Amino acid sequence: MITIPYLTALTTYFSYGLFFAFGQIRDFFRKIIDWRKSSNLQQGYAPICLGLEDFYVRRLYLRIQDCFGRPIASAPDAWFDVVERYSTDNNKTLKRTAKINRCLNLGSYNYLGFAASDEYCTPRVIDSLKRFSASTCSARADGGTTRLHSDLEEYVAKFVGKPAALVFGMGYVTNSAILPVLIGKGGLIISDSLNHNSIVNGARGSGATVRVFLHNTPSHLEEVLREQIAEGQPRTHRPWKKIIVVVEGIYSMEGELCKLPEIITVCKKYKAFTYLDEAHSIGAVGKTGRGVCELLGVDTAEVDIMMGTFTKSFGSCGGYIAGSKELIQYLKYTCPAHLYATSISPPAAQQIISAIKVILGEDGSSRGAQKLARIRENSNFFRSELQRMGFEVLGDYDSPVMPIMLYNPAKIPAFSRECLKQNVAVVTVAFPATPLLLARARICISASHTKEDLIKALEVISEIGDLVGIKYFPTEPRKQQQEQQGRMKLD
C-alpha cells in the first residue's frame, strides 16, 4: 500500500479543503443570483443533477478538463498528433483548432507497438475489411459469427494455455457481463481492493455477496476466506454455493504484478475458484508474451478463469474469457454479451490473429521476440531512471505501467500542461479513478519507443518534476541504483 509523506498529505488535504470551501461559497452566491430566475425544468420534476452530486465536476474537473480527453489525429504510435484546443469560458467547454502538435506518446496502451501500421498485420486487416465489412451487424448467437471469430477463439485458447475461449467486442463488458453469469445469490466474490471498475460493477451486478481483501496481500485474503467460510451466508449461515477470488495480473493504476503463486495456494487450500484479469499483462510480460502465469511460473491449469483484453498488446479491441470447454459452452448459452451484443468487428478479429502470429513467430520472422525483449528493456530502463531521479514510482520491474505520484490536485494540471508544452503527452489520473489523495501520472511504455525517445521523455519529466515539485525522494547515484535493481531481480 502507498504511504503518503505526512507533509504531502497535509498540503493535499489543505488544497482540497480550499477547493471545497471556495466552491461552496460560489455555489451559495450562485443560488442567490439565480433565486429569482425561472427554472428550465417542468414543474414537478426533480433536477437530474443535484448540486452536491456534480460539485466535484463543476468546481474541480472543469477547471482542468483540458488535461483529459485530448483528441488525437493519427495512430497511437510512439509519436502521434495531438489536436490543440482552446476555451473562451474558463474551461467549461473546449473547442478544437486546426492545429496539431507532434508529441511523444507516453499514455496509450500500445505495449507491443501493434497500434500503428504493421508490415504483417495491416495488409491482412485490409483484406478482411474488404471480405467481411467493418461489422457483422449481428450478435454471435444470430448471424455474427464468421470464420475469423472461430479462428480467433482457437488462437486465444492456444496462446493462453486453456482448452477453450470466448471473445467479446468490448474489454470492459467482458468483466461486467461475465461475473453475473458465473455467480449469483448465495455465492461469494472476494475481490482485491484495487481491482478495476469493470470487476467492481460486475461483482455488484451479480447479486452475490462481495468481500474485499487488502491489495495484493495473500495473508489477508486467507483471513477473509477463513472468516467467511466459517460464518457462511448472511442470516441463514448456510455454506456458500461457490466462492470466486478475483485478481488482476498487472494492476492498471499501480503497475504492480499480482502475487499469483501465493494467491493460488490460498484458493486451493479453501477450494475457491480463481478469476484472473490479464488485461494489462497478456502479451506484455513473460518470455513469449503469455502473461503473468508465464512470468511467475504458474501453470495455467491452476487458474480456473482467465480474462484478458485485446486493446493493450494486440492493437485491437475486445476481450476474452478462457477456461474449460464446459465453462465456455455454458457461457455461450447464458452470457448476454454473447447472446445479444454485436460481435467483435471482423477486421479487429483479424488484427488480433495476426498480432498473435507475430508474437509466436508464425509470420516467419523474429519480430515478436524482439518486441517482447524491447518492451521489457524499455520498461525496466525507464522505471530505474525515474526512481534514480527521485520520483515516487509505483509498480514492479517488467511492468510497462509506471504511475508517478503527484498527490496535490494543483500538480495534476501543472504536470500535464508543462509536458504538453514540450511535446510529451502523458495521462494524469485523479479521483474517482484513484483515491482522493493519490493523484498520479500514469506512464505506459511501448516496444515502439526508441532509446532516444525514452531519454527525451526522461529529460522533460525530470525538468518538469523539479518545476512542479514532485521529486519526493533524493536523487540516487547511478551506480547505487543499478546495484539496487540487481538485488531486486535476484530476489
Side-chain angles (χ1 to χ4, degrees):
M1 300 298 289
I2 303 170
T3 303
I4 310 174
Y6 177 76
L7 182 60
T8 302
L10 187 64
T11 56
T12 303
Y13 272 123
F14 181 74
S15 297
Y16 277 113
L18 281 179
F19 275 121
F20 184 80
F22 280 101
Q24 290 292 340
I25 292 170
R26 292 189 65 176
D27 280 359
F28 175 75
F29 283 105
R30 175 59 61 187
K31 288 179 182 178
I32 294 176
I33 294 171
D34 294 343
W35 183 46
R36 296 188 176 217
K37 294 183 179 179
S38 60
S39 174
N40 293 326
L41 295 174
Q42 297 179 23
Q43 184 143 6
Y45 285 84
I48 293 178
C49 295
L50 298 176
L52 286 177
E53 290 176 352
D54 68 340
F55 178 85
Y56 180 85
V57 173
R58 289 184 291 105
R59 296 306 179 197
L60 179 58
Y61 174 77
L62 289 182
R63 293 173 179 269
I64 62 174
Q65 70 164 324
D66 60 295
C67 300
F68 306 100
R70 289 173 177 149
I72 65 174
S74 66
D77 203 0
W79 289 78
F80 64 173
D81 297 328
V82 178
V83 179
E84 280 195 10
R85 297 179 293 175
Y86 71 95
S87 176
T88 57
D89 54 4
N90 297 318
N91 252 19
K92 290 182 180 178
T93 58
L94 295 169
K95 299 178 180 179
R96 299 186 184 187
T97 68
K99 186 176 180 181
I100 60 174
N101 290 324
R102 191 71 174 167
C103 295
L104 179 59
N105 182 7
L106 295 181
S108 298
Y109 307 132
N110 184 26
Y111 298 147
L112 295 184
F114 285 116
S117 179
D118 182 83
E119 61 188 69
Y120 182 82
C121 300
T122 305
R124 287 161 177 77
V125 171
I126 294 172
D127 289 342
S128 69
L129 177 62
K130 293 177 180 178
R131 181 175 179 182
F132 295 102
S133 84
S135 173
T136 62
C137 301
S138 183
R140 288 290 304 276
D142 299 326
T145 299
T146 68
R147 175 183 56 79
L148 290 176
H149 293 86
S150 301
D151 290 348
L152 174 59
E153 288 171 345
E154 291 179 9
Y155 268 98
V156 169
K158 175 185 174 184
F159 185 68
V160 302
K162 281 292 184 181
L166 187 63
V167 298
F168 304 90
M170 184 180 178
Y172 187 98
V173 169
T174 306
N175 275 328
S176 59
I178 285 294
L179 284 170
V181 177
L182 292 176
I183 192 169
K185 188 176 180 181
L188 173 65
I189 296 175
I190 302 182
S191 177
D192 188 286
S193 60
L194 296 182
N195 272 341
H196 191 264
N197 181 262
S198 61
I199 295 174
V200 174
N201 283 342
R204 287 174 178 171
S206 68
T209 300
V210 181
R211 295 292 181 266
V212 174
F213 69 96
L214 291 176
H215 171 58
N216 220 9
T217 309
S219 59
H220 188 247
L221 168 63
E222 183 168 11
E223 290 179 19
V224 174
L225 271 168
R226 188 188 306 119
E227 178 184 344
Q228 292 301 315
I229 291 173
E231 291 183 359
Q233 297 183 39
R235 294 190 298 274
T236 65
H237 302 290
R238 292 176 180 174
W240 299 103
K241 292 180 179 179
K242 69 177 78 167
I243 302 174
I244 299 179
V245 175
V246 187
V247 294
E248 295 184 36
I250 291 179
Y251 290 89
S252 58
M253 290 297 171
E254 287 71 36
E256 290 180 273
L257 295 169
C258 173
K259 295 180 180 178
L260 190 59
E262 297 91 335
I263 287 172
I264 286 178
T265 299
V266 173
C267 290
K268 291 173 69 176
K269 179 178 179 180
Y270 293 93
K271 304 297 186 290
F273 294 108
T274 308
Y275 183 108
L276 175 64
D277 178 343
E278 287 217 84
H280 286 266
S281 54
I282 192 66
V285 297
K287 185 177 180 181
T288 61
R290 286 179 165 87
V292 290
C293 289
E294 182 178 52
L295 180 68
L296 302 177
V298 174
D299 187 350
T300 55
E302 296 183 330
V303 181
D304 301 290
I305 306 146
M306 300 182 72
M307 176 270 177
T309 63
F310 303 121
T311 51
K312 282 74 177 178
S313 297
F314 305 96
S316 189
C317 62
Y320 68 85
I321 290 289
S324 65
K325 291 183 178 180
E326 294 77 14
L327 170 66
I328 299 304
Q329 196 64 32
Y330 170 73
L331 293 177
K332 287 181 179 180
Y333 293 140
T334 57
C335 180
H338 178 80
L339 295 172
Y340 308 117
T342 302
S343 62
I344 188 171
S345 167
Q350 180 61 63
Q351 167 67 26
I352 303 162
I353 293 171
S354 300
I356 292 175
K357 287 183 176 180
V358 173
I359 294 171
L360 296 176
E362 294 181 8
D363 65 329
S365 74
S366 60
R367 288 195 308 123
Q370 292 170 6
K371 285 176 177 288
L372 289 166
R374 198 177 305 120
I375 182 63
R376 181 177 181 180
E377 292 169 5
N378 286 353
S379 299
N380 292 341
F381 167 74
F382 205 81
R383 182 182 297 277
S384 64
E385 288 299 300
L386 287 175
Q387 292 174 340
R388 184 184 65 80
M389 291 173 179
F391 292 101
E392 183 173 1
V393 186
L394 304 185
D396 298 313
Y397 279 92
D398 289 345
S399 169
V401 182
M402 285 162 229
I404 301 174
M405 298 308 298
L406 303 177
Y407 296 117
N408 197 291
K411 295 180 180 181
I412 300 170
F415 183 79
S416 179
R417 289 166 183 165
E418 289 300 320
C419 283
L420 190 63
K421 286 180 183 177
Q422 300 197 42
N423 296 327
V424 175
V426 298
V427 169
T428 50
V429 188
F431 180 84
T434 66
L436 192 64
L437 298 184
L438 303 181
R440 64 200 68 178
R442 184 177 64 177
I443 306 297
C444 291
I445 298 300
S446 171
S448 61
H449 287 133
T450 65
K451 194 69 172 288
E452 291 74 22
D453 293 337
L454 299 181
I455 291 172
K456 171 184 168 56
L458 288 166
E459 290 173 350
V460 170
I461 291 174
S462 179
E463 178 185 338
I464 296 171
D466 291 326
L467 177 66
V468 177
I470 56 173
K471 293 185 176 180
Y472 296 104
F473 299 106
T475 302
E476 295 183 14
R478 189 178 298 273
K479 184 177 180 181
Q480 179 181 345
Q481 174 73 11
Q482 290 174 347
E483 291 176 354
Q484 180 183 358
Q485 181 179 348
R487 287 196 298 271
M488 290 181 67
K489 287 185 176 180
L490 288 174
D491 294 341

